[in-house]
Structures are given as C-alpha cells and as structure tokens.
Amino acid sequence: MDGAVPNEILPAAEKAFGDRLPDARRFAELLVTDGVVRGLIGPREAPRIWERHLLNCAVVAELIPSGASIVDVGSGAGLPGMVLAVARPDLSVTLVEPLARRTAFLSEAVTALGLERTTVVRARAEECVGKLPLADVVTARAVAPLDRLAGWCLPLTAIGGRLLAMKGASASAEIAEHAEALARLGAGAPSVRTCGESFLAEPTTVVEIVREREAARPRKAGGRRGR
C-alpha cells in the first residue's frame, strides 16, 4: 500500500488538509508501511487509514486557534497530534507517548516530514506536569474514560486553555457520569462538539473541556476544623 487517498474521499481530504495534502499522503504512507510493521496500526486498519483515522483527526483543527501550542497525550501512531501538525504548520505540537517503539516511529516521521515545530517526548502524561510549558490545547484520542483522561490532561493545560478529547457516541453519557470529577479537577462545564460536518460522512465527536481553575485540593483526613 502507498497511502494514496481513495477517490471517493479525495474532496474531503482536500478540504481537511488543503495545500498540506502531499504531506498528509506521506504520513499515510508511513502509517500503512512502517506503522503496520511496527505494530502501531493493525493490518485491517491500513485500507481505511484515511476515512477512519486521518480525516477523523484532521477536522479537530477546526476547534484550534491560529498559532496555538498543543500537547497530544498518548500519541501512539500520531493520532491526532501528528495529523494536526501536518494539517496546521502554524501549531507548536508536543507528542507525549510512553512506549519507545512508538516514540521512535514518531521521531522518524517528524524528521521525514520536516515538522520543525513538532517535538516528541517519551513519558507518561503525569510525568510531564511541571516539566512541559502549559499548553493552549491538550488533545487525546481513545485513551481512557473521561475522568481519568481529564486527570492526566488538565494539569498540562493552561488556565483558560482546553482539553479536546475525541470520543464516540458515548460522549454525552461520559460527561454526565463524570461531571463531579471534572469539576473537582478545575474544569468548566464540558460541551460536545462535532467537526467536519459539512464534508465527512461520519463527523468527529469531541468533548471540549475548558480548564477554568486549579484542581480542588483534597481535604486532609482527621484533624480539627478551623473556625
């Protein structure tokens, strides 16, 4: 496979990537070759890399302002962080991923595509707190339930910045289930956003969470109450 865009979705790919489409094709080629060989992408995913993965991630750029700093948590094969870096060269992107074979692939892809504003960090999200500059936007795709995900991502987000968590049909239910936990983490009221509605057969669902304040400090057990 060579990463070529299927004809039936070429118009959508052109809308999503614009003049960056040649670089997106190159990244697709890396995913369906090296990515499959290294176990980052399953062989069954390769034929649908554009529809299910690249376009699904690229449209999240609709929610990101010009020149923003991005931290992508649990980047894996670069979804969505690498895709956003390709689609939006104005963004400064940090890809955070703990597994060595994945960070090796990401580093090679960054070099191959000449993404000068993209950095790869091998670490868990919680290990990056206090070590990375707080980001305007933190992104994540299919990493964990919303409460755990926010616990990892919001501490990496600037006050007033946003977590963009790519979710499926369960987005509203997750928000309802984890509302109290999100509030304790300093989140504002989450909202469900859809991206790519005008040209994707299946628009991307994103939970958008603004970090409004520092997380609430846990109460100390025991001890006397102050007056």
Side-chain angles (χ1 to χ4, degrees), residues 154 157-163 186-190 208-213:
L154 287 179
T157 310
I159 302 296
R162 294 172 295 155
L163 164 61
E208 182 180 55
I209 302 173
V210 175
R211 187 187 186 197
E212 293 188 343
R213 59 196 179 279

Side-chain angles (χ1 to χ4, degrees), residues 58-224:
V59 294
V60 176
E62 297 174 5
L63 303 178
I64 302 175
S66 177
S69 60
I70 311 292
V71 169
D72 185 47
V73 168
S75 288
L79 307 169
M82 272 289 295
V83 178
L84 293 172
V86 169
R88 291 278 302 277
D90 60 297
L91 303 177
S92 298
V93 180
T94 301
L95 308 172
V96 175
E97 167 57 49
L99 294 185
R101 63 186 173 87
R102 294 175 179 170
T103 53
F105 171 83
L106 293 172
S107 296
E108 291 167 19
V110 166
T111 299
L113 295 170
L115 299 175
E116 297 180 356
R117 302 186 68 180
T118 301
T119 304
V120 179
V121 174
R122 184 186 172 194
R124 297 183 183 277
E126 54 268 38
E127 296 169 345
C128 295
V129 177
K131 297 179 181 178
L132 292 179
L134 295 178
D136 300 318
V137 177
V138 176
T139 57
R141 182 183 192 232
V143 173
L146 199 54
D147 57 340
R148 283 197 293 158
L149 184 63
W152 297 330
C153 294
L154 287 179
L156 299 173
T157 310
I159 302 296
R162 294 172 295 155
L163 164 61
L164 300 178
M166 298 175 67
K167 291 287 185 177
S170 66
S172 295
E174 281 202 58
I175 288 174
E177 180 181 356
H178 302 300
E180 292 185 7
L182 294 175
R184 288 195 298 270
L185 290 167
S191 59
V192 178
R193 307 286 295 271
T194 52
C195 305
E197 287 182 288
S198 64
F199 58 91
L200 291 187
E202 294 185 18
T204 301
T205 301
V206 176
V207 175
E208 182 180 55
I209 302 173
V210 175
R211 187 187 186 197
E212 293 188 343
R213 59 196 179 279
E214 297 285 344
R217 294 182 180 179
R219 294 180 180 177
K220 294 182 179 179
R224 296 175 61 185

